[in-house]
Amino acid sequence: MSYATTAQADTRSSAGVWTGRALSGLVVLFLLFDGAIKLVPLQVVIDTVIPLGWPTDPALWRTLGIVLIASALLYATPRTSILGAILITAYLGGAIATHVRIGSPLFSHTLFGVYLGIALWAGLWLRDPRVRALFPLAR
């Protein structure tokens, strides 16, 4: 392999890593915001969960806010990013199940967790060679 080919591969790899970091950063910012409004919990959180059939107990929402923030921070930390991604995926699965149960609109509400999960794993795949080795797109 020539020097030019190696340099070109490094540039593509570096661009992919930075794209993954940016995508992961957006996901983390969203999750931290979502967790923070549950910590307070803002009245909008309480008003939103009533139609979902969830209890309005502030202690429950503070606990979920802590779980979400902790999972997002694990995801943002390179050594624990895979654990964080798994925990967030489980959290999103619960959100998806809730929306399926009450018959929320499919593309805007029910699948939002799927969209966020795809962004989460795509960002991790782009920034972490361990995940790329575990889930290669081509062999």
Side-chain angles (χ1 to χ4, degrees):
M1 183 181 287
S2 70
Y3 174 76
T5 306
T6 305
Q8 186 180 24
D10 289 343
T11 303
R12 274 184 276 175
S13 175
S14 178
V17 169
W18 279 103
T19 302
R21 288 176 182 163
L23 190 55
S24 294
L26 291 173
V27 169
V28 167
L29 286 175
F30 174 79
L31 295 174
L32 290 176
F33 170 76
D34 190 37
I37 65 172
K38 287 175 174 60
L39 283 180
V40 176
L42 294 178
Q43 188 60 40
V44 68
V45 172
I46 302 304
D47 293 343
T48 303
V49 301
I50 293 169
L52 298 175
W54 281 91
T56 58
D57 178 26
L60 169 68
W61 295 102
R62 284 188 188 101
T63 302
L64 287 174
I66 290 167
V67 167
L68 187 55
I69 290 170
S71 298
L73 292 175
L74 286 170
Y75 174 73
T77 306
R79 285 186 74 150
T80 58
S81 59
I82 294 172
L83 174 61
I86 292 168
L87 293 172
I88 294 166
T89 302
Y91 186 95
L92 293 173
I96 294 165
T98 296
H99 284 287
V100 167
R101 185 182 59 78
I102 67 164
S104 291
L106 180 64
F107 294 106
S108 60
H109 292 68
T110 303
L111 292 179
F112 182 78
V114 173
Y115 306 146
L116 193 58
I118 290 170
L120 172 110
W121 282 99
L124 187 57
W125 189 88
L126 287 167
R127 71 182 168 106
D128 192 331
R130 299 172 302 167
V131 177
R132 286 193 302 276
L134 188 60
F135 302 111
L137 290 181
R139 292 195 184 245

